Amino acid sequence: MASSSSSSPPSALVFSSQSWKYDVFLSFRGEDTRNTFVGHLYSALEQEGIYTYKDDETLPRGETIRPSLMKAIEESQIAVIVFSKNYGDSSWCLDELAHIMKCRDTKGQVVMPIFYDVDPSEVRKQKRKYGEAFAKHELEKKTKVESWRKALVDASNISGWEPQHIANGHEAKGIKQIVLEISQRLQPVTSSLDENLIGMAARLQDLKLELEIGSGGVRMVGIWGVGGGGKTTLAYSIYDEICSKFDGCCFVENIREESGRYGLGKLKEKVLSEMEVNRVGGGRCLINNRFRHRKVLIVLDDVDNLDQLKALAGSHDWFGEGSRIIITTRDKHLLTAHKVNVIHNISLLSGDEAIKLFRKHAPRDNRPVVDYEHLSRKVVSYAGGLPLALTVLGSFLCDKDINEWKSTLVRLKEIPDTDIVGKLKISFDGLKPIEKELFLDIACFFRGYPEDGAMKSLDACGFHPVIGVKVLIQKALITISNERFDMHDLVQEMGHYIVRGENPNNPEKHSRVWKREDVWKICSMDATTELDMIEAIRLEFGTKGQLQRYKHLPPIVANTKNLRWIEWEGDLASPLLSNFPQRTLRHLVLYNSLQKQLWEGYKLLPNLKTIELWDLDNLIMTPDFEGLPNLETFKLAGCSYLEEIHQSMGCLERLVFLSVGSCWRLKMFPPITRVKKLETLTFFDCPELFKISEIQPNMENLPLLHLDDSGNEVASYIESCPNLFFVICWRCGCSNLPGVECCVEEPSLPHNNMKPCLRDNNMKHIGLTFFPKDLRNLNLSYCNLGDEEISSAVYCKWLWHVSLKGENKLCDGDLLLDSMLQGNAIEDHFINISLQHQIPKVFVGRLFRGTTLTLHLPDDLYNFCGFLVCLVTKIKGPDINIIMKQEVDEDSVFGRIMHEPNEATEPEYEGTKTYVGYVSFGSLRHTAFSNSSYNMISVSTYRESYVGAELVPRKSKGGEMQATDTSEIWDDELDYRPPFTIKYDSKSFIDILWRP
């Protein structure tokens, strides 16, 4: 480069608002370079798609030369001046130069000089050839010489190129580099993006970073997401912006439809044709050979089969250096299988973006804002950020009046728009039959339900959900958020639409029934009506009042010939299921029924895998289990009149999970000598049960036992169970369990293969060696420990979660907290502690009363490993929001604090609980925190409490630490939800929900 002076104009505002006809104007001395350097440069610019003005190529015949050239200069975004040895001889060239420099100052034109076989100082100081030329001009063109001299000085002070110093003087490579830099200086297409492409600029920028334009190698990037989410629009936008930077470009759209209609051969021909490749030979080898040495851009839109990718973009080595392949698809699996470099997850529109897009298609014009604003918000809420839905609904409503808008919104609740459903249904149509059934069950029954419980129900139905759910996630049909199934509202609506089919008002013809009004309609039909099409039913009530209203529904189950799954609240028949012919039934869950028995006598249900009976107050007997050879899960709770469980339970060879609780009169529990696959056995709140010692310890896979109110006779079972690594008791009545210590003392299993935890223990005389050193989760809330000190917990260096609510006396709360902060959680994990009537010394006199507290982060944040939050409150089950963000909200900084207590005015203890949480910065390494400049932390709760926050200085690890993924911290079997959940993660802020 010749000089460091910038070529940017004095005012960037002029540049950004200018409209240009030509990309580049070439100024050169024809007899020096027209058929050599400039000729090659012009060809390279044209090949790159850069619209270039070159006088002998562009000037129309018969036009006056001077005005045409001056106009072309003014209409060009970049002026490239090729200074050659004889450039200064031509008064014509010098006039061009002077006009170019004038346009630079007035129009914001970019000037880029090339010093071809001449030193920049010769041009700047008019030496040698340039000096000789100006000596002649002084005699002939005195009036213009000064303006020419100034133009030469200004132009030669601009950073430019000297081809003899580029690529070791290799002219072809030098020209390629010059063209690349010119291309990068051209005004981006994003500045003139179609105004309808709301939110596109930011999404384009993110995608450009992933494409790494300008870097070497071949890069494949997949754009993945839900149908109608804007994948193709984003691909078109990036294609338009960067296509000029490649030797060849091709956008292959609608591959799913086109390949099915015409075959892959036609698509290959399209690629070759658009790349202007001579089609000699044919097929895959041709694409491979022809593009191997070319820098190409190919967009493959709406791919739904791996064969399509293999045919059109087989591997990275098919394409030349710098090539980019962009693939849009709804199936994430295709991208991972094809080994793309990056998968770009399409982001749906935010609320503000959605309302802007909707208004583009449904403008208010002169209609009153008050009439349409509320309705617009309802439509946007319905669309859920899906661009397709916003566009379709906006276009439909654009010429409708206020009443028609209202009518449309009411209709959408019952009948979704077919254009939207049709687009979304493409993903469903591509599923295998078993995956379709799995998706429909989740859409109708399990959205918002905990993943673990739903998976067991789906597995009982034979849907093999482990692999099936993975496929549905990859197809962008469902997500898992906070360990619960979720999906886009319109995707769920599409599932409901498929189930209702052509009979939306005839629920007896639906495969799944989940609405109370549909159940009522079916129950109101003639008792002889056959319900052959119903496969699954759920009936549940939000309140007891609703249950009372519907509790005497007529029986319908007897007429459902193909029922495989039922969850029912209330009574079905009397006696329940007495005429039940369901050999197809796999899953049975009943709530709040008044029945005394499920069915009379022996009944063969060979496929039934799950029975759950909740709060059946009148139940006096369980079924005969001999007719249930494949039962895997049996849960029984809240059956207060039940005294014994049928002796045939002992024959359930496939039983895996058995739970019995809150059965106050239960006295008899049968021997289960043949139950060899049992993994979990739970008893709670069964004070009359004394026959547990008859359970035979021949269940080799039993890893976990819950015990409750069962007396010391339980101990004989515990002692004789060789595979029991630890004991969990829930509100036990026993005061001492002999043999427990030897079962749980320092388990030899490595911590990454087990999650030791003790919960709700009611045992006294716990020795120092009781707690395993790998213990992670300790819950001893409301245990009658008296004055016994739990001192050995401080030796548990993997401890992350402690709950000691109730009348416990901990040896020293500060000692425990200090121990946990010195342990293995300090660098990479969260910590959660629940105490009673205790305030750690670090927060004494530093708690503020209010609902919001702000902690400012210092510049030397690297000296701290995380931060502590303390909450002293009377709130039961508080939700605390911890927000980390960049900007400081002056109004919130202690803005709602009413009192600042000191050591002498600590919170009153009566009715309060103390919660301490720790968030390590290492636990946020997978979030935007690692690349952010957050400078504040805001802690807020919905009711007035005492809140404090403190940074924790970084300490030496004191030995080797093992970093564990934070998702593995909380024990899945014992905690329904983790105490810390990242609700939102963005560049502007991170929102962490703490539920201690």
Side-chain angles (χ1 to χ4, degrees), residues 642-663:
L642 185 68
E643 295 188 1
E644 64 179 281
I645 292 177
H646 200 281
Q647 293 292 309
S648 60
M649 173 171 280
C651 72
L652 295 175
E653 296 185 3
R654 295 182 180 274
L655 194 66
V656 175
F657 187 100
L658 174 59
S659 175
V660 180
S662 298
C663 296

Side-chain angles (χ1 to χ4, degrees), residues 325-428:
I325 314 300
I326 301 172
I327 303 159
T328 77
T329 183
R330 304 172 185 222
D331 191 345
K332 191 175 185 179
H333 170 69
L334 298 181
L335 301 175
T336 55
H338 199 59
K339 295 181 173 59
V340 302
N341 299 91
V342 176
I343 297 177
H344 179 90
N345 188 0
I346 193 76
S347 57
L348 300 182
L349 299 179
S350 67
D352 290 341
E353 291 170 338
I355 198 71
K356 288 178 183 176
L357 179 60
F358 177 70
R359 286 173 179 167
K360 279 288 178 185
H361 294 280
R364 288 192 302 259
D365 298 327
N366 297 321
R367 292 176 287 191
V369 173
V370 68
D371 291 340
Y372 289 91
E373 184 67 22
H374 180 63
L375 294 176
S376 295
R377 295 286 177 185
K378 281 192 171 185
V379 175
V380 167
S381 175
Y382 172 82
L386 197 70
L388 167 72
L390 292 162
T391 302
V392 169
L393 294 176
S395 300
F396 175 75
L397 293 170
C398 67
D399 58 350
K400 306 297 187 294
D401 62 29
I402 193 74
N403 291 323
E404 290 167 334
W405 277 48
K406 292 177 179 178
S407 176
T408 299
L409 283 168
V410 172
R411 187 177 70 178
L412 285 172
K413 293 179 181 179
E414 309 250 337
I415 308 170
D417 186 278
T418 54
D419 289 339
I420 300 172
V421 168
K423 186 75 171 178
L424 295 173
K425 191 172 177 289
I426 292 170
S427 298
F428 175 83

Side-chain angles (χ1 to χ4, degrees), residues 105-119:
D105 293 336
T106 60
K107 290 181 171 292
Q109 189 175 70
V110 176
V111 176
M112 307 179 81
I114 298 174
F115 301 93
Y116 183 76
D117 201 21
V118 65
D119 191 273

Side-chain angles (χ1 to χ4, degrees), residues 573-785:
S574 182
L576 186 66
L577 311 181
S578 58
N579 299 315
F580 194 52
Q582 295 299 334
R583 295 178 64 87
T584 60
L585 190 67
R586 291 173 172 266
H587 176 88
L588 172 64
V589 179
L590 300 176
Y591 301 86
N592 295 306
S593 174
L594 300 177
Q595 307 307 314
K596 293 183 178 181
Q597 60 180 329
L598 298 189
W599 53 77
E600 295 178 354
Y602 173 90
K603 185 175 288 294
L604 179 62
L605 299 174
N607 294 301
L608 188 60
K609 290 189 175 183
T610 301
I611 295 180
E612 297 182 21
L613 307 175
W614 302 92
D615 298 320
L616 273 63
D617 290 338
N618 293 344
L619 190 71
I620 58 174
M621 65 177 65
T622 61
D624 184 338
F625 294 101
E626 288 191 9
L628 313 176
N630 289 302
L631 193 68
E632 296 178 355
T633 298
F634 183 71
K635 296 181 182 180
L636 184 71
C639 301
S640 54
Y641 279 90
L642 185 68
E643 295 188 1
E644 64 179 281
I645 292 177
H646 200 281
Q647 293 292 309
S648 60
M649 173 171 280
C651 72
L652 295 175
E653 296 185 3
R654 295 182 180 274
L655 194 66
V656 175
F657 187 100
L658 174 59
S659 175
V660 180
S662 298
C663 296
W664 310 104
R665 301 186 185 186
L666 185 63
K667 298 177 181 179
M668 299 288 293
F669 189 87
I672 46 178
T673 56
R674 294 165 58 187
V675 183
K676 297 181 180 180
K677 292 190 175 183
L678 191 65
E679 295 179 1
T680 302
L681 174 63
T682 302
F683 293 94
F684 59 94
D685 292 336
C686 298
E688 300 295 321
L689 186 60
F690 294 105
K691 299 294 183 180
I692 295 183
S693 58
E694 296 182 13
I695 301 174
Q696 299 299 314
N698 62 350
M699 296 161 282
E700 298 176 358
N701 296 320
L702 184 67
L704 180 62
L705 177 66
H706 295 248
L707 302 168
D708 176 13
D709 296 344
S710 305
N712 289 336
E713 294 187 36
V714 175
S716 62
Y717 176 61
I718 296 174
E719 290 176 324
S720 60
C721 187
N723 295 310
L724 187 65
F725 0 120
F726 53 92
V727 178
I728 296 178
C729 300
W730 195 353
R731 293 190 295 275
C732 295
C734 49
S735 60
N736 188 21
L737 294 181
V740 169
E741 186 171 314
C742 67
C743 291
V744 300
E745 179 184 356
E746 299 186 16
S748 58
L749 290 177
H751 68 270
N752 58 336
N753 286 339
M754 64 176 292
K755 296 179 180 178
C757 40
L758 296 168
R759 181 173 182 159
D760 294 346
N761 287 280
N762 216 358
M763 299 173 287
K764 295 183 179 180
H765 313 300
I766 301 176
L768 290 177
T769 59
F770 178 81
F771 296 120
K773 290 182 179 179
D774 282 341
L775 188 70
R776 300 182 180 196
N777 183 339
L778 177 62
N779 188 338
L780 294 173
S781 296
Y782 308 107
C783 298
N784 298 324
L785 296 172

Side-chain angles (χ1 to χ4, degrees), residues 257-267:
E257 291 183 9
E258 296 296 316
S259 62
R261 189 178 303 167
Y262 304 112
L264 289 172
K266 286 288 186 183
L267 293 178

Side-chain angles (χ1 to χ4, degrees), residues 126 200 399 444 511 605 667:
Q126 291 94 56
M200 187 57 67
D399 58 350
C444 295
S511 61
L605 299 174
K667 298 177 181 179

